[in-house]
Amino acid sequence: MFFSRFSTACLCLLAAAPTMACAQSARTAPFTTASGEWPSHTGDTRGTRYSPLEQITAANFSTLEVAWRFKTDQLGPRPEFKLEGTPLVVGNVLYTTAGTRRAVVALDAVTGELLWMHSENEGARGAAAPRPLSGRGLAYWTDGKSARILYVTPGYRLVALDARSGARIRSFGDSGAVDLKLNMDQPILPDLETGEIGYQGAPTVARNVVIIGAAFREGGSPKSYRNNKGDIRGFDVRTGKRLWTFHTIPRKGEFGYDTWLNGSAENAGNTGVWTQITADEELGLVYLPIESPTGDYYGGHRPGDNLYGESLVCVDLLTGVRKWHYQLVRHPIWDFDLAAAPILADITVGGKAIKSVALPTKQGILYMFDRVTGKPIWPFEERAVEKGEVPGEWYAPTQPMPTKPAAYARNGVLTSDLIDFTPALKEAGLAAASRFKLGPIFTPPIVSKTEGPLATFSNGPTNGGSNWPGGSYDPETHMLYLSATNASPSALGLVVPAKGVSDMDYIRGFAPGAGRGGFTVQGLPLLKPPYGTITAIDLNKGDIVWQVPHGETPDAVRNHEALKGVTIPRTGQAGSVGTLVTKTLVIAGDPEVTTLAPRPRGAVLRAYDKATGKEVGGVNLPAPQSGSPMTYTVGGKQYIVVAVSGGPYSGEYIAFRLPAAGAR
């Protein structure tokens, strides 16, 4: 079903009044960030999150005022506290997803007025979705005559809507929707209603092809090592017809099948793409950042390297045929999902022009390739890694490591990474960490023991480094900007599952009676700051140009009794947040709230000089940034929109613009 509400502007649109929105259906020139729109999830299909707009600058950023707010509480059976969307803007209409039922809304981009809303009530199928809530966005397509909005429902249906009315396009798929659980080369088990597969990302539309990923529940303690497979598919944007399927776990006879020993490819599952997919429309290539196979921390049921687990795969846009691949992590057992969108960057290295693809990772390592050939931009080294002792596990003896750029975030945990504000806190930190196994990146998970060690203590798996918000790339300066977290500790401990919990030999957990240990010392983070950073990397040289802590020092640290009289530089905040880069600025909001006079308790949307990293402005937010910021212009005024939510604050989109006097 859908609900449609038209404002005066939209009624004029239907009457062919000369509005910007009306021009959407007739304009032949492409919509781009340079023309003031934001037509794709990352601004373009290349993953750049860049706009050349420059009305909002360092000199006036702090004067930004709220232009409009859109609260999402009524778009579903209950309020949502995890609003991760990035809106699109074409003409003077803003499109986005919102609410616990993943409604699609069209708003007046100047006033925030609701123009139309579409919602699908999927009942039990929606309730069983592995990736529920509002998701991260949608896609826009036009042929110059008609315009469509495409999105994936929680129950895994691809829906096409008329961009002007919100009504289903009845000629697309089955009356406007494609059942993504049916159009696969596998039966979805155990049934279509409860079968585990979905997608919370935005579809990618390139050259009239819609590319759709596949996502599952997090796999630390899966019910079975058998699961549905995360195949990636391309569909015709006009008809909904499936054009191709790429098997992320090779079928028998396909390249890579022999990397799953003992026929384990037959039963293994997951290995989908749950984050954003990017495409080079000129070259006709699509870049798939693929996640881990089942399960995240134990791979004894899938011996071998396990292609295409944790691999970047380049496929042909029109056929889905593999062009090249690179497996970043062999035999994945760390949950190093390729979580961020690949970023397409045309760079110059040693005087040679290269069409590259840059991949931020949870490891805090940037992997860079020639996006045509798959050859690394700078050499990778094969480094020996520790072989673990978990019964039945299979271990890769080496892992590939880029020689450039240097890691931009903490990965692994050594004693030098522990809290050291004072000698007493350092001693307490060493004592707390002694219950765990420490080591560099790729230190393997261990069987949890009551007497210790409880687990491998790591930073990077699950939520470290760069996650789904990814990075931003400036095509003019060839600089890449990456938000990252240094304080997202993970305990990689394994236990034999209780009867009926899982058929896997081991799942994530702690030994009985061992407790859970702790990643805090007297309420302070066990890992030392900076907790979160933004880093600028020159992609022509592979060098880090600057790195700054992002966000205020958390209240729990700044006001701690043990730190009275101790000078603590700004620590930044844990959490990977989306960045936006404009003509002169890098913009990102805080991942948590703080109380710092004279401003009210809340978060801050911050602006940094993109050349130096100096913070040059900020405006208050009532809650943490939970979606990625974007920007556009309408009527000669530049706007910035960001989603906020978290804690007690339900999801809201907030639009900022300069006050009337400041916009001259």
Side-chain angles (χ1 to χ4, degrees):
M1 70 175 186
F2 74 92
F3 166 80
S4 183
R5 173 179 176 271
F6 292 93
S7 69
T8 303
C10 279
L11 290 173
C12 291
L13 189 157
L14 291 178
T19 64
M20 285 286 290
C22 185
Q24 291 178 34
S25 61
R27 179 170 151 190
T28 56
F31 297 104
T32 66
T33 57
S35 63
E37 277 98 2
W38 191 273
S40 297
H41 180 78
T42 56
D44 51 32
T45 64
R46 298 162 63 94
T48 64
R49 302 201 59 80
Y50 170 77
S51 172
L53 301 183
E54 54 182 332
Q55 186 180 89
I56 296 173
T57 67
N60 59 31
F61 190 90
S62 294
T63 70
L64 289 173
E65 296 179 348
V66 173
W68 53 260
R69 312 170 81 122
F70 185 77
K71 200 72 173 172
T72 65
D73 290 2
Q74 306 307 314
L75 299 175
R78 63 190 186 280
E80 179 182 20
F81 295 86
K82 191 181 181 184
L83 181 64
E84 296 179 340
T86 299
L88 311 183
V89 168
V90 179
N92 66 348
V93 181
L94 179 145
Y95 305 94
T96 193
T97 52
T100 48
R101 196 167 277 148
R102 198 173 298 173
V104 177
V105 296
L107 309 179
D108 184 300
V110 174
T111 67
E113 180 184 5
L114 178 65
L115 305 178
W116 58 254
M117 184 273 284
H118 176 99
S119 180
E120 302 272 340
N121 188 344
E122 299 180 290
R125 177 163 164 172
R131 298 293 171 124
L133 304 177
S134 61
R136 296 183 182 135
L138 35 70
Y140 176 91
W141 172 87
T142 183
D143 60 0
K145 298 177 181 179
S146 62
R148 296 181 179 183
I149 297 297
L150 300 108
Y151 83 109
V152 177
T153 68
Y156 209 38
R157 293 178 172 96
L158 173 62
V159 179
L161 306 174
D162 184 293
R164 295 196 295 178
S165 69
R168 276 192 179 199
I169 304 290
R170 296 294 169 178
S171 59
F172 181 88
D174 181 5
S175 299
V178 172
D179 191 330
L180 296 171
K181 289 188 176 183
L182 289 177
N183 288 266
M184 302 197 80
D185 293 343
Q186 60 176 317
I188 296 300
L189 302 175
D191 54 60
L192 293 181
E193 187 172 276
T194 64
E196 184 183 326
I197 191 168
Y199 189 55
Q200 80 275 46
T204 297
V205 179
R207 278 203 209 169
N208 302 324
V209 179
V210 187
I211 305 107
I212 302 296
F216 305 85
R217 290 180 178 85
E218 294 184 7
S221 303
K223 293 181 179 179
S224 177
Y225 62 86
R226 302 174 180 89
N227 201 6
N228 298 312
K229 303 178 191 296
D231 293 342
I232 312 304
R233 288 162 291 168
F235 296 88
D236 186 291
V237 74
R238 290 186 173 90
T239 66
K241 177 184 177 182
R242 185 179 66 165
L243 301 175
W244 52 262
T245 299
F246 179 77
H247 297 147
T248 58
I249 298 177
R251 292 349 186 225
K252 195 169 186 177
E254 294 180 340
F255 182 88
Y257 180 82
D258 59 356
T259 67
W260 300 77
L261 304 181
N262 303 337
S264 56
E266 306 301 326
N267 291 319
N270 295 70
T271 324
V273 174
W274 57 259
T275 192
Q276 292 306 130
I277 294 168
T278 50
D280 186 323
E281 294 189 86
E282 180 183 348
L283 296 177
L285 300 175
V286 177
Y287 300 88
L288 307 177
I290 298 179
E291 63 157 358
S292 313
T294 319
D296 285 350
Y297 305 105
Y298 180 74
H301 301 287
R302 48 174 173 84
D305 282 348
N306 305 147
L307 284 178
Y308 294 93
E310 297 185 12
S311 300
L312 180 61
V313 180
C314 172
V315 301
D316 184 275
L317 170 61
L318 301 181
T319 66
V321 171
R322 178 183 61 90
K323 293 296 186 178
W324 59 263
H325 76 276
Y326 198 97
Q327 189 170 34
L328 278 63
V329 181
R330 302 191 184 101
H331 188 72
I333 52 173
W334 294 273
D335 190 26
F336 282 140
D337 291 342
L338 274 58
I343 298 168
L344 311 188
D346 296 338
I347 61 177
T348 303
V349 179
K352 179 183 178 182
I354 297 177
K355 294 181 180 295
S356 77
V357 54
L359 189 67
T361 62
K362 293 180 181 180
Q363 297 94 298
I365 296 172
L366 184 69
Y367 295 77
M368 293 192 62
F369 305 91
D370 182 307
R371 68 175 182 268
V372 178
T373 66
K375 180 181 177 182
I377 300 297
W378 290 281
F380 286 18
E381 295 177 350
E382 285 293 332
R383 296 186 187 175
V385 296
E386 180 182 343
K387 181 178 181 180
E389 299 178 348
V390 177
E393 184 60 277
W394 189 96
Y395 295 95
T398 64
Q399 296 290 352
M401 295 287 284
T403 54
K404 293 184 75 173
Y408 60 90
R410 178 182 292 134
N411 50 54
V413 175
L414 305 176
T415 56
S416 57
D417 296 313
L418 302 178
I419 185 172
D420 61 358
F421 290 129
T422 68
L425 288 171
K426 181 175 182 179
E427 183 179 354
L430 290 169
S434 68
R435 302 191 69 194
F436 296 92
K437 177 181 175 67
L438 307 186
I441 188 172
F442 298 123
T443 298
I446 61 172
V447 175
S448 181
K449 298 180 177 63
T450 302
E451 69 279 9
L454 299 179
T456 296
F457 180 11
S458 188
N459 187 79
T462 309
N463 291 313
S466 296
N467 211 289
W468 62 266
S472 301
Y473 172 69
D474 186 334
E476 297 182 6
T477 63
H478 300 179
M479 296 285 288
L480 180 68
Y481 302 93
L482 296 169
S483 164
T485 179
N486 283 324
S488 295
S490 291
L492 308 187
L494 299 173
V495 296
V496 176
K499 186 177 180 180
V501 172
S502 174
D503 66 7
M504 293 190 67
D505 291 342
Y506 289 92
I507 60 173
R508 191 180 188 187
F510 290 100
R516 293 185 173 274
F519 292 128
T520 61
V521 175
Q522 300 177 29
L524 295 168
L526 180 51
L527 293 170
K528 70 183 183 181
Y531 303 135
T533 60
I534 293 179
T535 303
I537 302 177
D538 183 335
L539 296 191
N540 290 340
K541 300 178 180 179
D543 294 336
I544 293 176
V545 176
W546 56 257
Q547 183 176 87
V548 295
H550 176 60
E552 297 289 351
T553 301
D555 291 350
V557 177
R558 191 178 62 254
N559 301 325
H560 199 281
E561 185 70 23
L563 298 179
K564 284 188 175 180
V566 179
T567 300
I568 300 174
R570 180 186 284 187
T571 65
Q573 300 171 357
S576 175
V577 295
T579 54
L580 165 68
V581 60
T582 67
K583 189 73 173 179
T584 58
L585 302 175
V586 178
I587 300 166
D590 294 349
E592 62 180 86
V593 299
T594 53
T595 305
L596 192 63
R599 68 170 174 81
R601 178 171 173 80
V604 176
L605 182 67
R606 302 178 188 276
Y608 300 89
D609 183 297
K610 71 179 187 183
T612 66
K614 179 184 178 182
E615 187 170 333
V616 292
V619 290
N620 294 333
L621 298 173
Q625 174 181 308
S626 52
S628 297
M630 50 81 71
T631 190
Y632 60 92
T633 57
V634 176
K637 292 186 176 182
Q638 183 182 355
Y639 296 74
I640 295 173
V641 175
V642 64
V644 300
S645 63
Y649 201 91
S650 56
E652 183 177 42
Y653 288 104
I654 303 178
F656 294 94
R657 69 183 174 204
L658 295 172
R664 283 186 259 157

